[in-house]
Amino acid sequence: MVVEITWQCELNEGIHARPAGHIARLCNTFEAEMVWHNTRTQLEASAKSALSLVATDTLRDDICLITVSGSDAPAAAAALKGLLYRLPEFNLEQESEHALVAGSLPRCLLELRPLYLCGIRISVGIAVAKPCFMAGVTFTELLGRSPTDAFSPQSEKRRLAEGLENLRRTKMAALAQAEGIEYDLIEAHLSFITDSAFEASMIGYLDEHRNAWSAIVRSAMDFSAILERSSSHYIQERTLDLLDIATQLLTGIYGEQSLAQNFLMPDEPVIVFASALTPSQFLAINKTHLAGLVLSSTGATSHTAILARSLGIPALADIDFSALTLPPNQDIVLDSDQGILITVLDEKIQRYYRHEIDVQQQMRQKIQEFAQLPSVTADGHHIGIAANIASVEEAQVAFANGAEAIGLFRSEMAFMARETPPDYPELEALYHSVVTLAAGRPVVFRTFDIGGDKPVSWLASGREDNPALGYRAVRSYPQHRQLFAMQLKAILSASAIGDARILLPMIARPEEVIWCREVLEAVKQEMRDAGHPFNPAVELGIMLEVPSVLFAIADMAEHVDFFSLGSNDLAQYFFAADRGNPRVSAVYDNYAPAFLRAMQQAVTDVHRAGKRIALCGELAADNALLPLLVGIGFDELSMSGSAIPAVKHALKSLNFTRCQGLARQINLTHYSAQAAALLQSAAATKSHTGKPLLTPETILWELDAADKNEVIKKMVDNLWLHQRTDCRDKLCQDIWAREIPFPTVVGSGFAIPHARTDAIHDSTISVATLRQPVSWGGVPVDKVFMLTISQAAAENEHMKYFSTLARMLMNDEFVVKAQRVATPEALCDLIISALSC
């Protein structure tokens, strides 16, 4: 029997090592032959060989024809279809924004005139440590080390077979102990080690009377050459994995001494420089003292780079250090936030980075402190902050990060990646676990959204030309009523021990809600008859993701208790554009006024009907859009659990009334650029929070600073820590803009740097008493009064405060008193008293 599958690749990086490994492992569990044909490249391969699959150069949007032939072809094809849909879930690397080339440097760093090299940022962070160069090895060098001893082909075949089996067992043992990214990496390497095409290639070289060493290296080189011809840089970088596997095989067969690899075990913090660092070499490094990583030929999407990112190790790539001479016992700076490597340090640059590392750590701690605080704006308006999850483990992380609810439990994950549907006891146990963990907080269970573009092997729905718009979610429930009813029963059972709620996906018509209500009531009656406890008032909501619901909210509201606007799918259907397709990425536009008005209208209509509405999706965690989402009036924002502390922190600086005004302004715009410009204006997005002009927290007492530049940076950073600015560099630039023509020294050891700027939320007087005087325009200064006035303030407010401060600092009586005060509180009281006069 022959079954044909047509599949369009949805993976951003195409079929590389890990997805190929998943496909090959599945296909090898069936007897059927599976031929993979890429219609773009016209390359064919066995789907049972991971390396051959990668060699087809299957990239995003490529259409592939898979022919499955054999007695078990129907079952094999069904299983493969399910896996192909789920492949995006297995992505090891979800984020691409890390790959960023260095741009302009912060103003206060530029003032120090550092000598630096630019690279590609692959893992954020800052490292200050000594350099350490780590030698790598190339295929050419490996080939040149091939032993010259006499051998027999049969003995070499036995040696190779034993080496492959030993390495496989080692990897399997490591897999049992690994987790997260390291688990995925080992699994990907296992797919290469057990690959039939790779083994056949090595045996072919042995048949040509080459030894095992040469066969391993030449086969790895052959497949690497194929990968290097790919038009995907991501796939090109998988060649490093083949080099890794080849060196592991060689050391396993010929012994560690055969390659004389120098595994790095530093006893002090170091920044490692490596040209071609394999994942295994990276994992072998003592991470206790690995401060940072600088890579040359290893790219930003290599497995080595991904491992560094997962461990939070600052790393840069694409830096040519072949001709770089660095003193081995002197520190350098790897500033991955800015994408630079500073190779020569003086005392001022060292001071700059010691402070920058410290202030970033303080900010991380402050943000985490917001996790368990109420999610309210500065003027007391509450917005629920919830989490999107798919497992008990994710729920634990979400609540630890301060989630007030589970806004979306993706229940379909328990229905996928399996040969049969879950049974009732399994669902009941899962839902009870999550609700118990919530401890009274709401848990919204979205009923299964499978079928259509989310196929499962045991739920045959047939082939569809446009599955995203096809037979999926609630549309499939009538045919699978028993399964839907079983899930409702499990959720109702959980409602007896906590606040469990039901959410229906892909609703397009009121009739669908009415039918689901009828099934829900029937399940309730069955549970009553059986004496099973549940909450009879359990809430039922719908996802607002199909545009038709925008025009039927009043009708829907008669049958539901709440709405959840799914921003990802709604935008996709709203613009008729796949959000993951780079060819139409410009069409899928979250800043488009039409889309923003649609969200505003949805909130207005839901509230008019007396119901609640949440926003669920990537937009909910977008701090740039947060003021607008607050102004639009969403009752809840549901996001990834890891994003919650930062959103709560940002929420605290907003004023609800001003956010509403911003929403009205944006509602009148015509183009995305206009809406984005309004959002980027600090005066519009960050409102006055009622913070006093001067408080003890804005006074830095006995500040240790080496020069004027350091004083300005530390005073601005203090404003950042106390949520008076989100734009440190912009504020520094505005302060420096007034200092360059005329230094703001006023005599008697005082300076008054100042600016009227949209980079400050609340007009502020900052004060720094210096531990030692610094030169300010050639004049020694030991007290600095920095005046930062909000752009939203009255036109003359800036000069009014400036002239008042200047007169105050020229008053001999005030100066004498200021020199004598012994505490920040006393100085604060003295200044407030003088200003009031």
Side-chain angles (χ1 to χ4, degrees):
M1 181 175 291
V2 177
V3 179
E4 289 188 346
I5 300 171
T6 300
W7 179 70
Q8 187 169 16
C9 180
E10 299 176 352
L11 303 177
N12 289 335
E13 306 297 347
I15 296 295
H16 51 90
R18 279 169 295 97
H22 287 301
I23 294 169
R25 278 191 296 276
L26 173 70
C27 292
N28 277 295
T29 63
F30 294 93
E31 293 294 330
E33 291 298 316
M34 303 185 186
V35 178
W36 184 287
H37 177 78
N38 184 335
T39 60
R40 176 181 63 84
T41 64
Q42 294 300 309
L43 295 173
E44 280 191 357
S46 167
K48 295 186 175 183
S49 166
L51 280 169
S52 298
L53 280 171
V54 175
T56 63
D57 196 21
T58 299
L59 306 180
R60 184 180 178 88
D61 295 329
D62 282 358
I63 295 175
C64 299
L65 301 177
I66 305 115
T67 304
V68 185
S69 56
S71 59
D72 58 353
L80 182 57
K81 283 181 182 178
L83 174 64
L84 291 175
Y85 168 73
R86 297 194 307 276
L87 279 182
E89 299 171 24
F90 304 139
N91 271 354
L92 181 69
E93 180 62 10
Q94 300 280 344
E95 303 175 13
S96 59
E97 68 270 17
H98 296 286
L100 184 75
V101 180
S104 58
L105 299 186
R107 179 63 179 79
C108 288
L109 180 56
L110 274 176
E111 187 71 15
L112 304 180
R113 292 180 169 81
L115 296 174
Y116 62 91
L117 301 173
C118 292
I120 300 295
R121 183 181 73 190
I122 57 176
S123 182
V124 296
I126 298 171
V128 180
K130 294 177 176 61
C132 178
F133 289 84
M134 187 171 176
V137 66
T138 65
F139 280 122
T140 303
E141 291 170 340
L142 285 178
L143 204 56
R145 298 184 191 180
S146 179
T148 57
D149 302 340
F151 64 89
S152 71
Q154 290 305 315
S155 66
E156 292 301 280
K157 285 183 180 180
R158 286 194 300 272
R159 174 182 271 190
L160 176 63
E162 290 173 3
L164 284 169
E165 179 59 20
N166 289 338
L167 185 56
R168 186 192 69 80
R169 289 177 178 175
T170 300
K171 292 292 184 183
M172 290 299 294
L175 195 67
Q177 303 297 321
E179 57 185 21
I181 302 231
E182 192 171 338
Y183 180 96
D184 293 332
L185 173 64
I186 295 171
E187 194 174 50
H189 280 194
L190 262 171
S191 68
F192 284 178
I193 294 164
T194 58
D195 190 87
S196 57
F198 186 39
E199 184 175 0
S201 175
M202 290 185 285
I203 291 174
Y205 277 113
L206 293 179
D207 289 338
E208 295 176 3
H209 301 286
R210 305 201 183 260
N211 63 13
W213 182 295
S214 178
I216 291 167
V217 177
R218 289 178 184 276
S219 295
M221 290 176 71
D222 290 344
F223 279 101
S224 292
I226 294 172
L227 301 187
E228 286 172 350
R229 289 196 293 268
S230 171
S231 51
S232 165
H233 187 61
Y234 192 94
I235 291 177
Q236 292 170 16
E237 291 184 342
R238 299 313 103 183
T239 59
L240 198 61
D241 294 282
L242 284 170
L243 177 62
D244 199 357
I245 290 164
T247 56
Q248 291 178 65
L249 267 175
L250 293 176
T251 54
I253 294 173
Y254 292 90
E256 293 286 349
Q257 74 286 350
S258 61
L259 290 178
Q261 295 193 83
N262 181 25
F263 292 109
L264 191 62
M265 295 295 176
D267 56 5
E268 64 176 342
V270 293
I271 295 173
V272 170
F273 287 71
S275 56
L277 188 68
T278 67
S280 295
Q281 287 176 315
F282 173 80
L283 291 171
I285 296 173
N286 179 3
K287 306 302 185 301
T288 304
H289 297 299
L290 180 58
L293 196 59
V294 179
L295 307 169
S296 56
S297 60
T298 304
T301 55
S302 70
H303 280 143
T304 302
I306 293 169
L307 284 166
R309 186 146 56 242
S310 72
L311 295 174
I313 296 171
L316 290 176
D318 291 358
I319 288 185
D320 182 8
F321 50 80
S322 58
L324 188 63
T325 302
L326 295 174
N329 296 316
Q330 293 184 16
D331 284 347
I332 59 173
V333 172
L334 190 163
D335 185 346
S336 204
D337 293 347
Q338 303 301 327
I340 61 172
L341 179 73
I342 300 179
T343 55
V344 178
L345 301 192
D346 58 21
E347 177 61 22
K348 289 185 177 180
I349 292 177
Q350 291 186 45
R351 291 178 63 92
Y352 177 95
Y353 278 104
R354 280 198 296 268
H355 168 72
E356 182 63 20
I357 292 170
D358 179 64
V359 78
Q360 287 192 21
Q361 177 61 26
Q362 289 184 59
M363 179 54 83
R364 284 192 291 271
Q365 291 173 351
K366 277 184 171 290
I367 288 176
Q368 197 58 41
E369 289 170 3
F370 277 80
Q372 303 305 327
L373 295 180
S375 53
V376 294
T377 61
D379 53 338
H381 178 75
H382 178 264
I383 297 174
I385 300 296
N388 304 328
I389 67 166
S391 66
V392 175
E393 292 75 19
E394 285 185 274
Q396 292 170 333
V397 173
F399 289 129
N401 279 327
E404 299 177 342
I406 300 302
L408 177 67
F409 185 92
R410 299 184 183 93
S411 69
E412 60 269 11
M413 295 307 174
F415 289 73
M416 302 172 73
R418 56 193 301 153
E419 297 302 318
T420 58
D423 56 21
Y424 175 74
E426 182 180 345
L427 291 184
E428 182 185 42
L430 173 62
Y431 299 168
H432 275 237
S433 296
V434 177
V435 169
T436 300
L437 192 63
R441 288 165 288 200
V443 179
V444 177
F445 292 94
R446 184 177 69 184
T447 52
F448 61 86
D449 183 6
I450 53 179
D453 65 339
K454 296 181 182 179
V456 293
S457 59
W458 48 266
L459 192 67
S461 56
R463 183 181 178 278
E464 296 180 290
D465 291 333
N466 199 341
L469 300 177
Y471 189 66
R472 57 176 285 200
V474 72
R475 300 168 184 183
S476 70
Y477 292 176
Q479 182 179 346
H480 304 286
R481 185 186 186 283
Q482 185 175 356
L483 186 64
F484 176 53
M486 180 185 75
Q487 184 177 30
L488 290 178
K489 181 181 177 183
I491 299 172
L492 285 169
S493 175
S495 75
I497 63 169
D499 189 356
R501 302 176 186 181
I502 303 166
L503 182 64
L504 304 172
M506 283 294 291
I507 291 290
R509 304 179 302 138
E511 290 85 351
E512 293 167 329
V513 184
I514 293 171
W515 183 87
C516 290
R517 271 282 187 196
E518 290 172 352
V519 176
L520 177 62
E521 293 306 319
V523 174
K524 286 181 179 180
Q525 189 58 52
E526 291 173 9
M527 294 182 71
R528 288 191 191 96
D529 294 343
H532 296 154
F534 66 92
N535 175 14
V538 64
E539 292 192 4
L540 177 71
I542 64 169
M543 291 291 297
L544 199 168
E545 52 195 340
V546 179
S548 62
V549 178
L550 290 169
F551 304 94
I553 287 175
D555 299 328
M556 300 285 188
E558 294 181 16
H559 309 286
V560 302
D561 302 296
F562 65 94
F563 292 77
S564 183
L565 191 151
S567 62
N568 299 343
D569 276 340
L570 178 62
Q572 184 166 250
Y573 294 132
F574 191 86
F575 295 112
D578 179 0
R579 63 193 179 100
N581 186 343
R583 296 177 182 176
V584 295
S585 59
V587 180
Y588 184 96
D589 183 5
N590 289 324
Y591 288 85
F595 180 65
L596 299 178
R597 282 195 288 271
M599 289 200 298
Q600 176 70 80
Q601 190 59 50
V603 172
T604 300
D605 289 349
V606 168
H607 286 167
R608 185 180 291 124
K611 308 293 183 179
R612 303 184 314 279
I613 182 168
L615 176 69
C616 178
E618 293 175 3
L619 285 190
D622 189 340
N623 279 347
L625 279 168
L626 183 61
L628 175 62
L629 303 179
V630 171
I632 284 176
F634 284 103
D635 301 296
E636 179 180 277
L637 304 176
S638 192
M639 64 201 68
S640 165
S642 61
I644 289 173
V647 171
K648 282 190 173 183
H649 180 259
L651 190 65
K652 193 68 176 175
S653 69
L654 300 179
N655 178 284
F656 179 55
T657 302
R658 295 195 176 195
C659 288
Q660 288 178 308
L662 172 67
R664 287 192 293 270
Q665 282 183 283
I666 290 179
N667 202 37
L668 299 175
T669 60
H670 302 286
Y671 307 105
S672 299
Q674 295 172 324
L678 284 172
L679 282 165
Q680 289 168 3
S681 168
T685 62
K686 303 295 181 182
S687 59
H688 177 68
T689 57
K691 292 181 178 179
L693 185 67
L694 174 69
T695 66
E697 71 182 19
T698 65
I699 297 177
L700 296 176
W701 194 257
E702 288 290 303
L703 179 66
D704 179 23
D707 57 20
K708 170 182 176 178
N709 182 61
E710 190 174 352
V711 171
I712 291 174
K713 174 169 173 54
K714 288 186 173 180
M715 295 183 77
V716 167
D717 286 344
N718 187 57
L719 293 173
W720 181 55
L721 288 173
H722 289 98
Q723 277 196 291
R724 290 178 179 249
T725 182
D726 289 330
C727 311
R728 289 191 292 165
D729 190 40
K730 175 67 163 56
L731 185 52
C732 283
Q733 289 178 19
D734 292 344
I735 292 292
W736 267 106
R738 292 182 176 270
E739 290 293 329
I740 292 172
F742 303 106
T744 55
V745 61
V746 294
S748 303
F750 291 95
I752 318 178
H754 57 280
R756 184 166 184 256
T757 172
D758 60 4
I760 195 79
H761 306 332
D762 299 272
S763 296
T764 305
I765 295 176
S766 304
V767 182
T769 67
L770 307 185
R771 188 172 299 174
Q772 62 276 331
V774 301
S775 175
W776 206 288
V779 178
V781 164
D782 61 6
K783 283 188 175 60
V784 180
F785 287 66
M786 188 168 76
L787 181 61
T788 47
I789 299 299
S790 170
Q791 194 73 44
E795 281 294 327
N796 64 346
E797 188 170 339
H798 179 209
M799 292 311 299
K800 180 184 74 173
Y801 281 119
F802 179 77
S803 58
T804 302
L805 276 175
R807 287 196 303 272
M808 184 176 73
L809 297 178
M810 289 186 288
N811 182 297
D812 292 341
E813 182 180 354
F814 174 83
V815 170
V816 170
K817 290 181 179 178
Q819 299 289 2
R820 291 177 178 174
V821 293
T823 66
E825 291 75 16
L827 181 57
C828 182
D829 292 341
L830 175 64
I831 296 170
I832 291 173
S833 176
L835 287 175
S836 65
C837 294

